[in-house]
Amino acid sequence: MTTTEATPRTAGTGSLLSRTHSLRQILQVQSFQILLVLLVIFLIFSALAPEIFPTWGNVRQIIQNVSILGVLGIGMTFVIVTSGIDLSVGSVLVFSGVVAAKVMQAMGGGGWGTAVVGILVSIACGLAWGLLNGVLIAKAKVPPLIVTLGTLGGALGLAQVITGGVDIRDVPAVLQDTIGYGNVPGTTLPTISVIAMVLIVIFGVVLHRTRFGLYTFAVGSNEESARRVGVKVDRQLISIYALSGALAGTAGILSLSQYGTTAIAGQSATNLNVIAAVVIGGTSLFGGVGTIFGTVIGLFIPAVLQNGFVIVGVQPFWQQVAVGAVLVAAVYVDQRRRAAAARGHAPKKEGAKKFFGRRPK
């Protein structure tokens, strides 16, 4: 009788311990911790301005503001996972938008025919800059910081040469009406945000569930080991920087659609904002670790802070202070975890890595 009763009690205790252990693993994931920070920030501003901040109209505005940075953040996540960096995304966005605007202006008309050509031109321009970055980094062995710092200046300088430093405001109305300020038919969801979300989902699957993503993590974890197991590292790096450039070109046409102008001087801090968001979201600057989910959460923190500060009457400059503090904390936590892994504590986090992403050995 005693033995019969003890068995289910033991099984129940084991199940409870297992659930507790799984919950502890999830709570240790940096991207999940950042999500909790975001929720706390949202709740604080909701309590301070309950009639304005938590309304759908305001949340919709925040989502729309994050959309363009979200597209850039996808490519930046891939790049930083390889332990690289891309400082040129903001300038490539501007250059792509300028060339697309010039082409559409020369074609004339405000219909979809002109708009589609502009979209393709913008993406192609971004792809070309990305390929240039990738070739110089992978083949010429120039450090990513130097290459992308050079293309940052080159792309922005050429954009200013093409326009004479004056923004182009002749943008097809169809882009602004449908993509820039339009909603998905039958809903109040911004079209530009849905486009960004579709890209986030697609490339989230690519990063975490495909061979391309596996090779990306392998290169970032240990480039030499990746070569030895047959990964074509140079090709992988060129592909990743080309992807980052193409997404910057996509962001260029989205920016053109939303603002109705090339905004040459309005993207000076875009690259740093995207890098900060990716790192805050848990992607390691040392490579080999990262998730698209974390990047999205990292993008929302500064957007929510800026929006909330404006609503409650606090100077929005405090946003930079808060984001800087979170960024330093995120890098510190990453370094502590790497030190713990070096001491043999990495297996404790294996379940969490499987939940939010993966890091190949």
Side-chain angles (χ1 to χ4, degrees), residues 30-31 76-85 207 216-217 219-221 275-292 294-295 327 330-339 353 358-359:
Q30 185 171 338
S31 56
M76 191 66 73
T77 303
F78 276 83
V79 168
I80 295 181
V81 164
T82 67
S83 72
I85 201 75
L207 181 61
T216 301
F217 281 107
V219 171
S221 297
I275 292 170
V278 172
V279 175
I280 288 172
T283 299
S284 174
L285 284 170
F286 303 100
V289 176
T291 65
I292 298 295
T295 294
L327 176 61
V331 175
Y332 173 75
V333 170
D334 179 52
Q335 288 182 317
R336 289 291 300 270
R337 287 179 176 169
R338 284 182 170 272
K353 289 176 184 176
R358 63 186 181 188
R359 176 185 176 185

Side-chain angles (χ1 to χ4, degrees), residues 107 225 314:
M107 291 180 63
S225 296
V314 177

Side-chain angles (χ1 to χ4, degrees), residues 69 72-73 76 80 85-93 148-149 152-153 266-278 299:
L69 293 180
L72 294 173
M76 191 66 73
I80 295 181
I85 201 75
D86 189 352
L87 297 176
S88 67
V89 289
S91 296
V92 171
L93 180 158
T148 57
L149 185 61
L152 178 156
Q267 303 292 341
S268 58
T270 296
N271 52 354
L272 297 180
N273 290 337
V274 174
I275 292 170
V278 172
L299 286 165

